[in-house]
Amino acid sequence: MKKSLMLMIAVATLVGCNSTQEKKTSEAVAEEPKSIAIKACTAESMTVDLKETYTSEILPYRENDITPAAQGLHIDEIKFDVGDRVKAGDVVVTLNRTSLKQLEINLATVQDTYDRMKPVHAAGGVSDQQMIELENTLNLQKEMVDNMRRNSEIKSPISGVVTARNFENGDLFASMPILHIMQIDKLKVMANVSEQYYPNVKVGQSVDINVDIFPGETFEGKVTRINPALDAATRTFGVEITIPNTNERLRPGMYARATFNMGKRSGVMVDDVAVQKQIGSSERFVYVIKDGVAEFRLVRDGRRVGSKIDIIEGLEAGEKVATTSFIRLSDGVKVDIINE
C-alpha cells in the first residue's frame, strides 16, 4: 500500500514538472517577435526634369488712367467708350474751356501790368522788389494757363482698349479716372519663383503658359524682367513674363499657370506610396529595409513624376523602402519582403 502511494506521488511530480517545462517553452516561443510581411520597392537613380509651375493672373502689358491734373473741371466730351480702341496720341477727353479762358484773361492783365511797369522801374519809379513780385505773379499765371491748356485736351499715352468709363459728358471731374485704358496686344504674367532657381532663370528664357479656358493648349511667353532682390518673407523672387497676344485670345484677369524648364539633374526616385507624411508636421519619411529590419528615416521630397517621387535628401539609389503595412511598422521591427 505504501509503495503504491509513493509511486503515485512520483508520477504526479513528474507530470507537473513536464507541464511546467512545456509552459515555459510555449511562453518563450510566444515571446519571440514575428516578422511583418511587407511589400517594398528599390530607390532608383534617374534623370529628373526640373520643371516648376507657378500660378498667377494674366495682366495687361501696360495700362493707364486718363485723369486731368486739376479737379473741379467740367468734362466737355468723352470721345471713347468701353471696348473702343485708341492709339497713342489720340485725344480721348476734352474739358470745358471756360476756366481756361478766364485764366487767359488774367494772364493778359498781368502781362499788360508787367509791360507798363518795366519803363517805370527803369526810371526809378518802382522798386526792384515790386518788379520781382510782379514777375513771379506773371510766371505763375503762365504756368496755370499752360497747365490748363494741356488738360483741356487729354491724349492717351498708350495704344489699347478702353476697359472702364467713370463719367459722362458734362460731369464735373472728381477723383476717379475718367477712362482706364489697357494695352492687350501683349500681356504679362508675374511669377514668384523659389530662390533655389535664381541661377536658372534668364531674361529671354521661354516659359509655357496654360489657361483653363483653353485646355490642352500652350502659349509661349518669354522672361522680360527679373527682380534683383528676393522677398525675405517668402524666399521668392519676382519674374515678369511677356506673352504675345496679337489675336487677343487671352485677356487680362485670366487664371494662368507658368511652367519654367530649369534644366535636368540626377535624382533618386521611389514609388509615391513609399513616402509618408508624419502626423502633426509637414515632414516626410520612409522605412528603409536593411538586413530584414525596418529603419525609420526622414526625407526631403521634390517633384512628382507620374507615380514616382524625387527624393532630394535622405535616401540613396539602391536602398529598399517599404510600400505597405505602415501602421504596423516602427523603427527596428523585423520584416519579410513578400514581393520578391
Side-chain angles (χ1 to χ4, degrees):
M1 186 70 177
K2 288 182 179 180
K3 288 183 179 181
S4 298
L5 182 60
M6 291 178 65
L7 181 60
M8 291 174 64
I9 294 172
V11 170
T13 301
L14 181 61
V15 170
C17 289
N18 288 341
S19 297
T20 301
Q21 185 63 33
E22 288 176 1
K23 184 178 180 181
K24 288 182 178 179
T25 302
S26 175
E27 289 176 351
V29 171
E31 289 173 359
E32 285 185 9
K34 291 184 178 180
S35 297
I36 298 174
I38 66 165
K39 291 185 178 182
C41 69
T42 302
E44 302 175 301
S45 179
M46 297 178 64
T47 299
V48 181
D49 288 327
L50 298 179
K51 289 187 176 181
E52 295 294 331
T53 300
Y54 301 93
T55 58
S56 188
E57 181 181 314
I58 295 179
L59 305 172
Y61 184 70
R62 295 171 65 194
E63 54 187 327
N64 185 261
D65 286 328
I66 302 300
T67 306
Q71 295 192 25
L73 302 176
H74 280 92
I75 299 169
D76 188 32
E77 182 183 7
I78 302 174
K79 296 179 177 292
F80 294 88
D81 210 334
V82 173
D84 291 343
R85 297 180 182 277
V86 301
K87 296 180 180 178
D90 283 351
V91 175
V92 293
V93 176
T94 58
L95 301 176
N96 188 283
R97 301 178 68 89
T98 302
S99 298
L100 173 60
K101 290 177 181 178
Q102 183 61 52
L103 287 175
E104 288 174 337
I105 292 171
N106 294 341
L107 173 60
T109 301
V110 175
Q111 182 71 58
D112 181 65
T113 303
Y114 179 79
D115 292 340
R116 286 187 293 104
M117 289 296 105
K118 283 181 69 176
V120 177
H121 171 257
V126 176
S127 67
D128 292 343
Q129 182 62 35
Q130 288 175 308
M131 284 304 296
I132 291 173
E133 291 177 357
L134 188 58
E135 186 175 0
N136 290 339
T137 302
L138 177 62
N139 290 334
L140 178 60
Q141 288 292 323
K142 287 180 178 179
E143 185 176 341
M144 291 173 64
V145 169
D146 289 341
N147 182 57
M148 187 63 72
R149 284 173 178 167
R150 286 195 302 269
N151 283 279
S152 63
E153 288 187 343
I154 306 176
K155 299 179 180 180
S156 174
I158 63 173
S159 297
V161 61
V162 177
T163 59
R165 172 172 168 163
N166 300 311
F167 294 90
E168 296 298 329
N169 297 340
D171 285 348
L172 185 67
F173 169 70
S175 57
M176 293 179 64
I178 298 175
L179 297 174
H180 188 78
I181 299 173
M182 290 183 178
Q183 181 181 350
I184 61 174
D185 59 340
K186 290 191 292 185
L187 298 169
K188 63 184 179 182
V189 168
M190 299 299 299
N192 295 316
V193 180
S194 302
E195 66 173 334
Q196 61 181 311
Y197 296 116
Y198 197 89
N200 303 80
V201 180
K202 308 293 182 185
V203 172
Q205 176 179 340
S206 294
V207 180
D208 291 339
I209 305 296
N210 299 96
V211 293
D212 292 341
I213 196 171
F214 299 120
E217 190 169 354
T218 299
F219 300 85
E220 183 181 2
K222 289 191 180 296
V223 175
T224 49
R225 186 176 290 111
I226 300 172
N227 195 320
L230 272 69
D231 186 320
T234 61
R235 296 298 177 188
T236 60
F237 61 97
V239 177
E240 180 184 288
I241 306 154
T242 300
I243 314 164
N245 191 42
T246 52
N247 55 11
E248 296 186 1
R249 296 180 67 205
L250 300 177
R251 295 301 171 109
M254 287 182 176
Y255 177 82
R257 291 180 297 277
T259 302
F260 292 75
N261 188 344
M262 307 295 189
K264 300 178 182 291
R265 71 167 180 82
S266 296
V268 176
M269 307 290 288
V270 296
D271 293 350
D272 54 4
V273 294
V275 183
Q276 300 292 305
K277 183 179 182 294
Q278 197 166 21
I279 297 175
S281 76
S282 60
E283 293 182 321
R284 301 294 196 273
F285 68 89
V286 297
Y287 279 106
V288 180
I289 311 303
K290 287 189 174 182
D291 301 325
V293 176
E295 175 190 329
F296 176 86
R297 191 183 297 177
L298 292 175
V299 296
R300 185 159 67 94
D301 60 332
R303 285 182 50 77
R304 178 186 294 270
V305 182
S307 63
K308 302 281 187 180
I309 290 183
D310 175 28
I311 303 300
I312 299 172
E313 187 179 304
L315 192 64
E316 299 292 333
E319 291 188 302
K320 293 185 182 300
V321 291
T323 57
T324 61
S325 307
F326 295 104
I327 294 177
R328 301 175 61 195
L329 287 176
S330 60
D331 194 46
V333 168
K334 292 184 178 181
V335 299
D336 283 329
I337 299 175
I338 61 175
N339 59 324
E340 293 188 345

